[in-house]
Amino acid sequence: MTSQAPIKVSRQEPLACSHEFSANCSDCRLNSICLPFSLESRDIEELDRIIQRGRPLQKGGHLYRQGDDFGSVYAVRSGTLKAYRMTDDGREQVTGFYFPGEIVGMDGISQSRHASSARALETSAVCEIPFSSLEKLSASMPQLQRHFFQLMSREITEDQQLITLLSKSSADARIAALLLSISMRNARRRLSATQFRLSMSRVDIGNYLGLTVETVSRVFTRLQKSEIVDVSNREIRILDEAALRQLTSGE
Amino acid sequence: MTSQAPIKVSRQEPLACSHEFSANCSDCRLNSICLPFSLESRDIEELDRIIQRGRPLQKGGHLYRQGDDFGSVYAVRSGTLKAYRMTDDGREQVTGFYFPGEIVGMDGISQSRHASSARALETSAVCEIPFSSLEKLSASMPQLQRHFFQLMSREITEDQQLITLLSKSSADARIAALLLSISMRNARRRLSATQFRLSMSRVDIGNYLGLTVETVSRVFTRLQKSEIVDVSNREIRILDEAALRQLTSGE
DNA sequence: GCCGTTTGTTGATGCAGGTCAAGTCTGCCG
DNA sequence: CGGCAGACTTGACCTGCATCAACAAACGGC
């Protein structure tokens, strides 16, 4: 609600160097992760034409809400988003975190309405990809069609990994897996795999991993004490990746 | 292993009336659930041509295994399949059950190898749909492309429902949700929504819902005692659907 | 720099569901 | 029909995480 106030642009925090991504796909730093991957340059230009680059999303702002009409999927350009859905009894289940280069919103396709909400965890920017245009384009660009099938399939396998994590692993293993996942995704974007700042709160982490805040907090202090990870607030430094990896498969 | 013996056809148990599905999509009883839904009859014929109808799969037989090269997705014609993956530490996580009309194998698209294994819980038959043909056909049939995007998206939202279930719900709620899900899917196929036989073992149910066999068993006896469900071995009769529904949202 | 609010930490206690250990039932095969 | 293996149930006990409660630290607005 509070975040719905008319956009106030003044004193906006510096958006992580704007040269990191550009106004078109061809020279976007993220294009090896995102949609255009493996397209011919002529095709990229066509894709470029359908993509809409919106104004930055404020921290806490919604990209879309559960139940909204589905029209587009979104590529994250900067910042972080979380996707979440409401359970029948009104609690929140975080279904994923989305970093630059990743695509969010694909769960809306089946019902023509969004099955989850997406909100920015920090000031973020996205590329909006109207789905109907994407469909049309896919029909004439086999590479694009395949790539999009693959993205959706990846989402499925990732959800299944989370399912496994939730159904089989201890609190320690879950946190370890999350840290490693973030680390890997950072590496893919050529950021540090060992040192980063969590953009999500402990509550969000708990909500994602099926744990309470208290447990999340306790696990972090435990990791700190055993010198596997250096934790200071949201600042994380992985000290012993091997140990972390061992934790994920139950000690 | 044992199920890999050369196919022995003699004394095969009667395959639930073979007239229920046919050798082509146009008059298949399941076509409103399955792929051809919403296609022109001319298009259905084309789709028909790429589909391969294999011989029945024996109980316990594998349709594909985790790590196999990915080539096709499969529509279940009769019987039930379970999909499962091995965790790093060698335990099994069931990721889904698949009933007639449903599509299995879509998680293999992203890596070109199957991310899970699929095996028959009872004698089953499937239609094999070679993915490369499906891709080609999709390019010229917008309806088909859309339908397949929707199927994948549905798989995502269903996985997310399972995630929510695993991370937020009690054992009772999980079992209740599974029973209701099976009931709903039966109804869609015009079978009884209140009375059915579970094709999966208690172990499988536990593995799917993140519970031990013992807990699954206890929940069933509890449901029996409170006269919400009548359980006799794998035979289930839902006595009080409303109560069951209440259970799913935490009493 | 100060103050209220939000976010995170720590401790004490309880319970749902896991684990271990016997059984019992079912269905299958000779 | 009898005997055996796998599937299921039941009970006793234990443990990891939730819950409740109090507090501390960080952040954001003025």
Side-chain angles (χ1 to χ4, degrees), chain A residues 175-196:
Chain A
I175 299 280
L178 176 63
L179 291 179
L180 286 172
S181 161
I182 294 176
S183 162
M184 259 182 37
R185 287 145 96 185
N186 275 350
R188 223 160 48 119
R189 282 152 48 218
R190 327 236 143 190
L191 299 179
S192 169
T194 57
Q195 218 174 130
F196 46 87

Side-chain angles (χ1 to χ4, degrees), chain A residues 179 182 196-200 202 205 220 234-236:
Chain A
L179 291 179
I182 294 176
F196 46 87
R197 154 168 270 273
L198 296 174
S199 42
M200 65 292 282
R202 303 286 196 260
I205 294 177
F220 274 129
R234 295 191 177 187
E235 217 61 57
I236 296 289

Side-chain angles (χ1 to χ4, degrees), chain A residues 30-76:
Chain A
L30 295 167
N31 72 12
S32 66
I33 311 178
C34 175
L35 261 183
F37 177 68
S38 82
L39 289 185
E40 310 278 334
S41 63
R42 191 173 43 80
D43 287 346
I44 291 185
E45 278 167 42
E46 261 195 274
L47 176 63
D48 224 27
R49 224 163 287 139
I50 71 165
I51 290 180
Q52 290 159 26
R53 293 173 185 80
R55 77 168 75 48
L57 210 57
Q58 307 274 355
K59 172 174 175 171
H62 274 90
L63 184 56
Y64 53 80
R65 288 165 198 268
Q66 191 168 350
D68 281 0
D69 276 348
F70 168 81
S72 301
V73 297
Y74 302 86
V76 181

Side-chain angles (χ1 to χ4, degrees), chain A residues 85-146:
Chain A
R85 45 177 24 241
M86 281 305 176
T87 62
D88 303 331
D89 53 330
R91 279 178 309 171
E92 180 178 315
Q93 171 67 43
V94 173
T95 53
F97 299 113
Y98 294 85
F99 294 106
E102 300 175 350
I103 307 283
V104 60
M106 295 185 292
D107 59 10
I109 298 171
S110 70
Q111 318 275 6
S112 319
R113 26 198 76 232
H114 286 285
S116 58
S117 305
R119 70 153 56 184
L121 293 176
E122 56 196 323
T123 307
S124 305
V126 298
C127 299
E128 176 173 357
I129 309 166
F131 186 65
S132 59
S133 315
L134 184 65
E135 272 183 308
K136 271 188 219 106
L137 217 54
S138 292
S140 64
M141 290 167 46
Q143 301 272 40
L144 180 62
Q145 190 193 49
R146 156 153 313 195

Side-chain angles (χ1 to χ4, degrees), chain B residues 21-70:
Chain B
F21 44 81
S22 90
N24 59 67
C25 296
S26 329
D27 45 298
C28 176
R29 209 180 56 85
L30 296 166
N31 73 12
S32 65
I33 311 177
C34 172
L35 264 181
F37 177 65
S38 80
L39 291 184
E40 310 278 334
S41 63
R42 192 173 44 79
D43 288 345
I44 291 185
E45 278 166 38
E46 260 194 273
L47 177 62
D48 224 27
R49 223 163 287 140
I50 70 166
I51 290 179
Q52 292 159 25
R53 293 172 185 79
R55 75 171 74 47
L57 209 56
Q58 307 276 353
K59 171 174 173 169
H62 274 90
L63 184 56
Y64 54 79
R65 287 164 199 269
Q66 191 169 349
D68 282 358
D69 278 347
F70 168 81

Side-chain angles (χ1 to χ4, degrees), chain B residues 210-251:
Chain B
L211 301 170
T212 58
V213 210
E214 293 94 325
T215 302
V216 173
S217 181
R218 278 186 252 268
V219 172
F220 274 129
T221 44
R222 216 176 297 154
L223 289 176
Q224 170 86 272
K225 277 192 187 133
S226 46
E227 300 189 326
I228 296 174
V229 174
D230 194 63
V231 185
S232 128
N233 303 319
R234 296 191 176 187
E235 217 60 56
I236 297 288
R237 186 201 304 221
I238 295 175
L239 302 174
D240 187 346
E241 194 205 306
L244 213 50
R245 211 165 284 284
Q246 260 193 337
L247 272 184
T248 62
S249 39
E251 221 72 1

Side-chain angles (χ1 to χ4, degrees), chain A residues 170-171 211-212 214-215 218:
Chain A
S170 67
L211 301 170
T212 58
E214 293 94 325
T215 302
R218 278 186 250 269

